[in-house]
C-alpha cells in the first residue's frame, strides 16, 4: 500500500481539520525542493503552481533557508513599536524598485492583510468609503478585502461592507462588447461599467482595487491600455487606484511589477505571495504624499506581526536574488517557452479553448470544444487528477461563465528541462482524459 494512503493520517485529517475550500490532493507531502514536492512514497511531483502561487524562487531555496535559520536564532519578532535593520532595509529596497514615487512601505504578513491596510488607508485619505473592484476578483478573506472579492465566497455570511461595488473585468476570450467592426471593445465595457458605478454611488467613491492579471478569476489579463484608462477613470472621480500584485509582482510576469508594462503607477501597491517567496510577508507601498496625509488623519494599523524582522530579512534576500540572478528577464524567456508549448498542445487538443497570461503566470481554459466554448468542469477536474498521477501538480479554477482554467505558475528558477517535462506530462494527462 502507498504511504500516501495511511489510514491514521487521513482519519485524523477528517476528524480534526476545518475544511476551508476544495478537496485536498490525495497525497501526503513530506518535503519540497526547487521545482518539486515529494510525497510519502518519495515520489517527486513537479510543482507548476509554486505552492500557493508563491514560491517564486522554488521550494526551500538555500539562501532563503539560511536567512530563516539566522533570524530564527537571532532576531525573529518584536513589539510592533520597535524597528530593526531588516525592516528599514527592505522598505528602502522596495522604494528603489517600485515604479514612480512609491517610496513608503508598511510590512505585514498576508495578501488579505495588505489589501485590508490599503483599503483602510484609501478611505481615510479620501474621506470616502465606496470601493470598486472587478466582478471576477480575489483580494482576500478578511473584512474589507473579502468585500472586494467577487469570484467566490460571498454567500451565506451576511452583507459585505457598505459601499462595495463591482464592474466586469475585460475578457477578450469571451467578449460582451463590440465595436462597429465586430472587434472586442474593452473601452466601451469600461465606460459602461463606470456609468453603472456612477449611478449606484452615493458620491463617496474612495478607491478602485484591481489585479493586473485576475488569477483566481481565471487568469484574465488586463489588455494593454486598459490599466491607463482605468487610472484615468479614477482620477476623474478623485479615487485612488490600488493595484494588488500578490501574484504578478517581483518579476513573475517578466516585469518587476506587472503595472510597468503599461507605464501605470498606482496610488497604492500591495505585494504579498511572491515578495516572501512562499513565506508570510506582505507590503503596502505608497507615496510620501499619501502616507503623510494618512498619518495626519490618524492612520492606525497595528497588527501582531507588523514590521517583524525575520520576514523582512527574507523579502530583502528575495529582491537581492531576483535582481542578481536576472530572474525578471528569465521569466520572459521561460514564459515564452512555456506558452509556446501550451499552444502546441492547444493545436493537438480541441478541449484547450485558450492560452493566456504573461511571463510565468499563464492560464489554460478547458472547454468541451473550441466551437461551442462550453465549460467542461468534469474534464478539468479529470485532467487535474491525471496530471497528479503523472507527477505534475496543477491547479484548476472553476468559475461561472467560463471553462475550468489551469493557473500555471512555476518558480522563476524553473529550468527548460522542467518546463518541457511539465508540458510532456500535461500532454499525457490530456491524452488519457480525451482519448486523443
Amino acid at each position: 500500500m502507498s504511504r500516501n494512503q495511511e489510514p491514521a493520517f487521513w482519519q485524523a485529517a477528517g476528524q480534526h481539520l476545518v475544511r476551508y475550500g476544495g478537496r485536498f490532493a490525495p497525497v501526503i507531502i513530506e518535503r519540497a525542493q526547487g521545482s518539486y514536492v515529494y510525497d510519502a512514497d518519495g515520489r517527486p511531483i513537479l510543482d507548476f503552481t509554486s505552492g500557493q502561487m508563491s514560491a517564486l524562487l522554488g521550494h526551500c531555496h538555500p539562501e532563503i533557508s539560511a536567512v530563516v535559520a539566522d533570524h530564527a536564532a537571532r532576531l525573529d519578532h518584536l513589539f510592533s513599536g520597535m524597528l530593526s535593520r531588516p525592516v528599514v532595509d527592505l522598505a528602502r529596497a522596495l522604494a528603489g524598485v517600485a515604479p514612480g514615487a512609491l517610496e513608503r512601505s508598511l510590512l505585514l504578513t498576508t495578501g488579505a492583510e495588505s489589501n485590508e491596510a490599503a483599503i483602510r488607508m484609501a478611505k481615510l485619505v479620501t474621506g470616502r468609503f465606496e470601493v470598486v473592484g472587478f466582478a471576477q476578483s480575489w483580494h482576500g478573506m478578511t473584512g474589507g478585502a473579502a468585500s472586494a472579492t467577487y469570484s467566490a465566497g460571498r454567500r451565506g455570511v451576511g452583507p459585505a461592507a457598505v459601499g462595495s461595488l463591482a464592474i466586469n473585468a475585460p475578457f477578450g476570450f469571451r467578449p460582451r462588447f463590440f465595436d462597429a467592426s465586430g472587434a472586442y471593445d474593452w473601452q466601451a465595457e469600461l465606460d459602461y461599467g463606470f456609468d453603472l458605478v456612477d449611478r449606484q454611488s452615493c458620491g463617496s467613491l474612495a478607491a478602485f482595487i484591481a489585479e493586473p492579471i485576475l488569477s483566481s478569476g481565471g487568469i484574465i489579463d488586463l489588455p494593454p491600455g486598459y490599466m491607463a484608462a482605468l487610472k484615468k477613470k479614477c482620477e476623474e472621480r478623485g479615487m485612488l487606484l490600488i493595484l494588488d500584485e500578490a501574484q504578478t509582482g517581483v518579476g513573475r510576469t517578466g516585469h518587476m511589477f506587472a503595472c510597468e508594462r503599461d507605464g501605470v503607477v498606482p496610488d497604492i501597491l500591495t505585494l504579498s505571495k511572491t515578495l516572501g517567496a512562499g513565506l508570510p510577508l506582505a507590503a503596502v507601498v505608497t507615496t510620501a504624499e499619501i502616507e503623510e496625509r494618512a498619518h495626519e488623519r490618524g492612520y492606525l494599523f497595528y497588527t501582531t506581526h507588523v514590521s517583524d524582522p525575520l520576514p523582512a530579512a527574507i523579502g530583502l534576500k528575495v529582491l537581492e536574488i531576483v535582481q542578481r540572478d536576472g530572474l525578471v528577464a528569465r521569466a520572459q524567456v521561460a514564459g515564452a517557452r512555456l506558452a509556446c508549448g501550451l499552444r502546441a498542445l492547444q493545436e493537438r487538443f480541441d478541449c484547450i479553448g485558450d492560452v493566456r497570461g504573461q511571463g510565468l503566470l499563464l492560464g489554460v481554459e478547458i472547454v468541451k470544444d473550441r466551437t461551442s466554448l462550453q465549460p467542461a468542469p468534469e474534464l478539468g477536474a479529470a485532467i487535474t487528477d491525471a496530471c497528479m498521477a503523472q507527477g505534475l501538480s496543477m491547479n484548476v479554477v472553476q468559475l461561472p461563465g467560463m471553462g475550468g482554467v489551469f493557473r500555471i505558475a512555476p518558480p522563476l528558477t524553473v529550468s527548460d528541462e522542467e518546463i518541457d517535462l511539465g508540458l510532456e506530462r500535461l500532454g499525457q494527462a490530456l491524452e488519457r482524459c480525451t482519448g486523443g
Side-chain angles (χ1 to χ4, degrees):
M1 182 181 73
S2 168
R3 293 183 180 180
N4 291 302
Q5 298 172 12
E6 181 184 318
F9 177 89
W10 293 109
Q11 181 180 357
Q15 186 173 353
H16 299 296
L17 292 180
V18 172
R19 288 162 289 185
Y20 46 83
R23 60 193 176 98
F24 295 111
V27 291
I28 303 171
I29 302 302
E30 301 286 10
R31 66 183 183 94
Q33 186 68 53
S35 298
Y36 290 88
V37 298
Y38 296 82
D39 70 9
D41 293 327
R43 182 179 67 131
I45 301 169
L46 185 58
D47 183 4
F48 257 32
T49 63
S50 300
Q52 190 65 32
M53 324 296 286
S54 304
L56 192 75
L57 306 177
H59 294 284
C60 302
H61 190 287
E63 291 181 67
I64 300 299
S65 298
V67 170
V68 172
D70 175 34
H71 280 269
R74 186 169 56 86
L75 182 61
D76 54 359
H77 165 73
L78 291 172
F79 168 65
S80 298
M82 293 180 176
L83 288 177
S84 60
R85 295 187 187 279
V87 167
V88 175
D89 290 344
L90 178 55
R92 183 190 296 119
L94 286 170
V97 297
L102 300 176
E103 60 179 277
R104 296 196 181 176
S105 295
L106 173 66
L107 303 182
L108 301 163
T109 53
T110 69
E113 193 177 38
S114 63
N115 289 329
E116 203 75 46
I119 289 170
R120 187 178 183 89
M121 181 179 290
K123 289 180 176 180
L124 184 65
V125 166
T126 62
R128 304 174 184 179
F129 67 89
E130 293 175 319
V131 176
V132 187
F134 286 123
Q136 298 82 359
S137 61
W138 182 287
H139 298 292
M141 287 284 96
T142 62
S147 294
T149 293
Y150 292 92
S151 64
R154 297 185 71 85
R155 296 180 181 274
V157 291
V162 175
S164 299
L165 305 173
I167 67 173
N168 269 323
F171 191 18
F173 181 61
R174 296 178 181 275
R176 299 183 180 184
F177 285 73
F178 303 89
D179 62 19
S181 69
Y184 173 48
D185 192 344
W186 58 256
Q187 182 68 63
E189 187 170 24
L190 178 64
D191 291 343
Y192 180 76
F194 266 87
D195 181 58
L196 291 179
V197 165
D198 291 339
R199 291 172 184 272
Q200 296 174 77
S201 170
C202 66
S204 192
L205 291 168
F208 193 108
I209 183 167
E211 305 158 86
I213 299 177
L214 287 78
S215 177
S216 294
I219 307 293
I220 298 177
D221 186 6
L222 301 186
Y226 186 96
M227 196 182 297
L230 176 60
K231 180 75 181 293
K232 183 179 179 182
K233 294 285 188 187
C234 291
E235 291 172 343
E236 290 170 351
R237 292 159 177 79
M239 303 168 67
L240 300 185
L241 176 61
I242 302 168
L243 287 184
D244 176 358
E245 294 225 24
Q247 296 190 29
T248 57
V250 198
R252 180 167 288 288
T253 66
H255 300 273
M256 180 59 80
F257 304 102
C259 62
E260 293 176 322
R261 183 198 71 174
D262 296 85
V264 172
V265 180
D267 298 292
I268 304 174
L269 174 69
T270 64
L271 305 170
S272 51
K273 295 177 181 290
T274 56
L275 181 61
L279 292 162
L281 173 65
V284 176
V285 192
T286 190
T287 65
E289 178 185 1
I290 290 175
E291 191 278 335
E292 292 285 355
R293 200 180 314 161
H295 177 68
E296 290 168 0
R297 297 185 179 185
Y299 184 69
L300 179 68
F301 207 84
Y302 265 122
T303 74
T304 301
H305 296 288
V306 65
S307 294
D308 262 357
L310 190 155
I314 292 168
L316 194 61
K317 179 59 71 172
V318 170
L319 291 181
E320 176 192 327
I321 294 170
V322 167
Q323 293 174 294
R324 181 196 71 200
D325 295 351
L327 295 182
V328 177
R330 172 59 185 164
Q332 292 183 2
V333 174
R337 185 184 190 93
L338 178 58
C340 182
L342 292 172
R343 292 193 175 97
L345 290 175
Q346 184 180 23
E347 292 180 4
R348 289 174 53 196
F349 297 98
D350 193 46
C351 66
I352 297 181
D354 193 29
V355 175
R356 52 183 180 260
Q358 297 179 46
L360 282 172
L361 182 57
L362 299 174
V364 172
E365 182 164 344
I366 301 298
V367 295
K368 289 184 178 179
D369 58 75
R370 282 200 296 275
T371 301
S372 69
L373 299 185
Q374 290 183 12
E378 298 84 3
L379 180 57
I383 295 170
T384 304
D385 292 341
C387 284
M388 181 60 74
Q390 296 286 344
L392 175 65
S393 176
M394 295 278 280
N395 171 257
V396 67
V397 292
Q398 307 283 3
L399 296 160
M402 67 173 72
V405 181
F406 284 109
R407 301 187 296 164
I408 305 177
L412 271 55
T413 52
V414 68
S415 68
D416 288 349
E417 293 75 18
E418 290 167 339
I419 289 174
D420 294 345
L421 178 61
L423 290 165
E424 178 184 344
R425 291 179 176 177
L426 175 57
Q428 291 169 346
L430 286 162
E431 286 179 355
R432 178 177 169 181
C433 293
T434 64

